Amino acid sequence: MQIQINTDKNISGQDSLAKHVEDGLRSDLNRFSDQITRIEVHLSDENSSAKSGNKDKRCLLEVRLAGERPIATSEHAATLGDAITFATEQMIKLLDTELGKRGKR
């Protein structure tokens, strides 16, 4: 399971953040690792560091399943950590549904 982390210019601490996100995703999505070939994570601060806003941090997760079309979830939250957590929880539910339909869970 390959994981690629992309951040916009408004996100600081890219290296430590990337390690934290990758470790969390490997742990949270481990039971799907046989079906997942790649995960792309896009993190952004939509209002930039110049302005703060309610729910301006965004996490987009795109999961590529072996031989299937990619599936994605996206969440906005007040903090990057919450956006990542909520998008991951949403992805787990989506993978349960998609793989359950195919009998691959």
Side-chain angles (χ1 to χ4, degrees):
M1 180 168 64
Q2 181 184 19
I3 299 175
Q4 179 180 345
I5 313 284
N6 303 295
T7 60
D8 72 7
K9 64 182 180 185
N10 300 312
I11 304 294
S12 61
Q14 283 92 348
D15 292 338
S16 62
L17 177 62
K19 172 92 170 99
H20 176 73
V21 171
E22 185 172 336
D23 290 347
L25 286 173
R26 286 194 189 281
S27 175
D28 293 342
L29 300 178
N30 184 52
R31 66 185 166 122
F32 305 109
S33 63
D34 290 346
Q35 289 87 25
I36 296 174
T37 59
R38 179 184 174 118
I39 301 172
E40 288 190 35
V41 183
H42 300 273
L43 303 173
S44 59
D45 180 348
E46 295 184 342
N47 285 339
S48 79
S49 58
K51 298 187 278 183
S52 63
N54 198 14
K55 296 188 176 188
D56 67 334
K57 309 300 187 278
R58 180 175 182 243
C59 176
L60 169 71
L61 292 179
E62 184 178 291
V63 170
R64 297 177 186 272
L65 299 170
E68 301 288 334
R69 62 177 175 74
I71 58 175
T73 60
S74 178
E75 280 293 329
H76 287 82
T79 68
L80 207 48
D82 284 348
I84 294 164
T85 298
F86 300 151
T88 303
E89 289 171 354
Q90 206 178 42
M91 182 58 72
I92 291 168
K93 291 175 186 173
L94 186 56
L95 287 169
D96 273 336
T97 300
E98 290 292 317
L99 296 174
K101 288 178 186 176
R102 300 174 190 144
K104 294 183 180 181
R105 238 187 324 167

